[in-house]
Amino acid sequence: MGRFQPFHLGHFDIIKQALSECDEIIIAITSSQFNYLEKDPFTAGERIEMIHNSLKESDIDLSKCIIVGIENQFNIATWASYLKSALPKFDKVYSGNEYVSMLLNDSDIQVVYPKFLDREKYNATRIRKMIIDNENWQELVPKAVVQLITSINGINRIKVISQSDTRPTEH
Amino acid sequence: MGRFQPFHLGHFDIIKQALSECDEIIIAITSSQFNYLEKDPFTAGERIEMIHNSLKESDIDLSKCIIVGIENQFNIATWASYLKSALPKFDKVYSGNEYVSMLLNDSDIQVVYPKFLDREKYNATRIRKMIIDNENWQELVPKAVVQLITSINGINRIKVISQSDTRPTEH
Amino acid sequence: MGRFQPFHLGHFDIIKQALSECDEIIIAITSSQFNYLEKDPFTAGERIEMIHNSLKESDIDLSKCIIVGIENQFNIATWASYLKSALPKFDKVYSGNEYVSMLLNDSDIQVVYPKFLDREKYNATRIRKMIIDNENWQELVPKAVVQLITSINGINRIKVISQSDTRPTEH
Amino acid sequence: MGRFQPFHLGHFDIIKQALSECDEIIIAITSSQFNYLEKDPFTAGERIEMIHNSLKESDIDLSKCIIVGIENQFNIATWASYLKSALPKFDKVYSGNEYVSMLLNDSDIQVVYPKFLDREKYNATRIRKMIIDNENWQELVPKAVVQLITSINGINRIKVISQSDTRPTEH
Amino acid sequence: MGRFQPFHLGHFDIIKQALSECDEIIIAITSSQFNYLEKDPFTAGERIEMIHNSLKESDIDLSKCIIVGIENQFNIATWASYLKSALPKFDKVYSGNEYVSMLLNDSDIQVVYPKFLDREKYNATRIRKMIIDNENWQELVPKAVVQLITSINGINRIKVISQSDTRPTEH
Amino acid sequence: MGRFQPFHLGHFDIIKQALSECDEIIIAITSSQFNYLEKDPFTAGERIEMIHNSLKESDIDLSKCIIVGIENQFNIATWASYLKSALPKFDKVYSGNEYVSMLLNDSDIQVVYPKFLDREKYNATRIRKMIIDNENWQELVPKAVVQLITSINGINRIKVISQSDTRPTEH
């Protein structure tokens, strides 16, 4: 579960962990309804494509992976229930986020705390910052992600958003 | 009218004022659609229960009190009209908020400025802060509120929200 | 649980049943966001007022009754979860509706099938039809409901809606 | 006020009436958020353009006319209030619809019943039916409307919608 | 593209066609936000699971298939644009629906009319009817779909919905 | 295109530029759904009236001007498409905002960078600040805007909003 803005090698590492421990995994893209925003520059479609292509270019068995977009809910108390309606049946959630654990507390879903691969380094906020500053972000993400971001002119998109004071969803 | 996050003795005092001056009162819970957020940790249902139980454990005549949740409106110019549709007929609003007075200005509703019981002390933002800091917040709210917050594990909820950088409704 | 368009003696009878079997009851007004429609002529506020006044004019102990409006959800699979967030804690739902039972199936909430007082006679659709046809509907509802409907010019409202082909929520 | 699907000579006649009786008029396009539907085939933009061009090709003084799109509201009880927020200040509404009169009843807005130019003949539902049946609908609308509908391939649009069982807004 | 209520062998046949003609395919589940309704009994999650499991139990290469839920839009004129934001990049849409073709008309997306495998027989509306009538629907869908529907008690769900007059999304 | 909170002489100057270069212009009021907020104090209706009256009191030919309100979209990737559905057909957008240019990039709409009349001086945020501080803002807006703001008690509205900590749309 993650926003995947963008999908990076830290995310990929957790996917590999989950795959080694489960029969099948669901990769849930949160905030899927948002895009062209500072914290959410990429569309749901672009994020699905990033993840699908990254799994495909590696030796991952895609028949064990389901990628699904999920939207933020305003009535957060119903989030666990929304999750169950939006995803194929699942038993565990891999998450290092205590807030997520709390929301799943009253459900029958188990929360697994994954091992993180250098969380400071593999961090989407930092990667977006590096893109703005023309630093070497490419080595922090799968090759397929570099290709996708390039093909959609994503570097420019992130820069334009960061320089603009237009915040269409804020009031 | 208030968010009641949580319901405290300052709120209770205003209810007593209103009851001494009116035949019946409506207690309107604003931002009722929000929960599990920093400023709005409790659900509408939990807040109704806090207020109902607090009135019940005191000597208040509940046949004179109606508790209603109301949602924030995006088209604020229609707020007075929304209020009339969501609540039983009413003549006056007790509010110390000039913004509320302005929104009711063109309507036939009278705004009464209540006497506040030490507004610095009885303040929901301060009480949530005290909960996070393990200070003595219990004496600022009715006993029924302490019981409810305890029974739903609300202290932990407020702490987890405050420590998390997950902000599901912000973009 | 009901739309209460309008609140009638059949509803009242179920409330009395529930009160005889429970410590406290919640009266949940569904479709609370709708009004001025053929099946939903009255606002949430008007329906709360109908029920509150009806209970008050009888010998019901109002300190045991909580009246709450709830909105229809588009993601119906989350309805049980929404219900829990919108209402004070509850253990049972009184409902003769199999659809409601199905939605509560996976939750820990018990569904009680109430005894209905002549369901053909005490039926809100029929009562609205009788209002349009100037028949004797008044004896099917509490006196407080007759008073409220009269005071808001509700008979005319139901007639105008039924004669109009304006259907603002249909497309 | 009207849906203007499409704008026809009956609408135009009422605009002339209003202009002869008022200093300025507002032409409010209702259901502005809907399009590509059986009853609402044209977008808000297309309807604004139909009306603007029709007024312009005649001898109407456009400095006295303001065209505004308004959306259907789900909380219909707030409609009068929404109308005031969406439109420049106005005193009267021209409408032959009793439902509209009812909704404006408690406001300070006067409702004027316009004279209708052969309401059976100049009727948008009938015109859409004639378009589907290849009948002579062109003489019932201003020339500018014929031009616009032709330029956007609107005849085909209405036919495709009528033959399809896709109803994206129905459930 | 389809609602897949439920996923049947006719759908599966079109997927095979598309796979024989394309490098990769996207299976888009429309009306993904709806469930527990007469025309839309299954949740998005259940439909994803039906399709995923059906592809997996056959000899389909899942690394070439992406399954995505998409929601109905109210502003239908923006549908082509929404589709592009919700899906990975695509060039063609397989659809036998003229309405869909019309909405994609002004875009750069090509519409391919698929060959249908006995459209009368393999028809989701008919299959739901057969489920209600206890007819032999199982042979019209992949085995994985029979298993899933059984495991979620889906036969009962469809029957309860069909017998109920509760229509939570209609007004 | 602008929020026009309020409409000022800098906006007016760009309208004159566009009128000198185009046959007809559309003045699009963005964030039209918001009002009574710090950055958006005026309703859509009030902003339409400001602009209409300002054009009318000058020597502008109103038959060449169409004023339309447009709402912020949450799925920003569909914004260009929404714009086309909400406005009459247009070829160019006058905008000095790179974010807007980016969103129109894949469409066939040309973006024209207008000449700005002293952008520091004619700036709506600064004008709202001057209103709060009782400075001489009147000379920065058309006379019609001064009249409108006065007639709706707008100076007080802006001050009350700025002094209040009520933020109904923030969470």
Side-chain angles (χ1 to χ4, degrees), chain D residues 23-24 35 43-46 48-49 52-53 56 62-68 71 84-89, chain F residues 23-24 35 43-46 48-49 52-53 56 62-68 71 84-89:
Chain D
D23 292 334
E24 289 195 323
N35 51 61
T43 67
E46 290 161 352
I48 294 171
E49 197 170 344
H52 177 81
N53 290 356
K56 199 164 179 173
L62 270 160
S63 75
K64 293 182 166 179
C65 301
I66 301 174
I67 306 168
V68 184
E71 301 191 351
K84 289 184 181 181
S85 81
L87 304 183
K89 196 164 172 12
Chain F
D23 292 334
E24 290 194 323
N35 52 61
T43 67
E46 290 162 351
I48 294 171
E49 198 170 343
H52 177 81
N53 290 355
K56 198 163 179 172
L62 270 160
S63 74
K64 292 182 166 179
C65 301
I66 302 174
I67 306 168
V68 183
E71 302 191 351
K84 289 184 181 181
S85 80
L87 304 184
K89 196 165 174 9

Side-chain angles (χ1 to χ4, degrees), chain C residues 10 36 55 75 78 85-86 91 97 104 109 113 148 158 165-166:
Chain C
Y36 284 86
L55 300 177
N75 186 341
T78 66
S85 80
D91 307 308
N97 187 330
L104 296 174
I109 301 163
Y113 195 96
L148 183 95
I158 287 175
D165 59 358
T166 301

Side-chain angles (χ1 to χ4, degrees), chain C residues 36-49:
Chain C
Y36 284 86
L37 294 171
E38 192 158 22
K39 287 168 59 185
D40 280 306
F42 301 114
T43 67
E46 290 161 351
R47 289 180 272 167
I48 294 171
E49 198 170 344

Side-chain angles (χ1 to χ4, degrees), chain B:
Chain B
M1 190 174 289
R3 296 212 331 279
F4 305 119
Q5 295 282 13
F7 182 71
H8 58 59
L9 294 173
H11 297 132
F12 204 173
D13 191 70
I14 294 173
I15 287 176
K16 285 176 193 159
Q17 272 176 61
L19 275 170
S20 74
E21 295 164 6
C22 309
D23 293 334
E24 289 194 323
I25 66 162
I26 301 164
I27 302 162
I29 302 174
T30 58
S31 299
S32 70
Q33 80 263 53
F34 292 110
N35 51 62
Y36 283 85
L37 294 171
E38 192 158 24
K39 287 168 60 184
D40 281 304
F42 302 113
T43 67
E46 289 161 352
R47 289 181 270 167
I48 294 171
E49 199 170 343
M50 279 182 200
I51 299 171
H52 177 82
N53 291 357
S54 297
L55 299 177
K56 199 163 179 173
E57 78 180 0
S58 74
D59 54 353
I60 302 290
D61 179 357
L62 269 160
S63 74
K64 293 183 167 180
C65 301
I66 302 173
I67 306 168
V68 184
I70 57 176
E71 301 192 351
N72 286 22
Q73 299 297 298
F74 272 83
N75 185 341
I76 300 170
T78 66
W79 187 74
S81 170
Y82 164 68
L83 211 61
K84 290 184 179 180
S85 80
L87 304 183
K89 196 164 172 14
F90 59 99
D91 307 307
K92 301 182 200 171
V93 166
Y94 281 71
S95 170
N97 186 330
E98 261 205 85
Y99 188 80
V100 165
S101 302
M102 174 180 64
L103 294 180
L104 296 174
N105 227 20
D106 294 329
S107 74
D108 49 357
I109 301 163
Q110 186 194 341
V111 179
V112 178
Y113 195 95
K115 277 178 220 126
F116 285 97
L117 188 70
D118 194 344
R119 217 171 174 179
E120 300 261 309
K121 185 175 174 190
Y122 297 103
N123 175 296
T125 304
R126 181 173 167 253
I127 291 171
R128 293 196 305 275
K129 182 81 170 57
M130 291 172 80
I131 290 174
I132 293 167
D133 296 341
N134 295 317
E135 292 176 22
N136 187 13
W137 59 275
Q138 288 88 344
E139 63 184 25
L140 304 174
V141 302
K143 272 183 201 151
V145 172
V146 177
Q147 278 163 20
L148 183 96
I149 290 180
T150 307
S151 78
I152 60 170
N153 209 4
I155 295 170
N156 181 59
R157 188 191 301 176
I158 287 175
K159 289 182 179 177
V160 169
I161 294 170
S162 82
Q163 285 152 15
S164 166
D165 59 357
T166 301
R167 299 273 176 274
T169 57
E170 273 176 32
H171 266 91

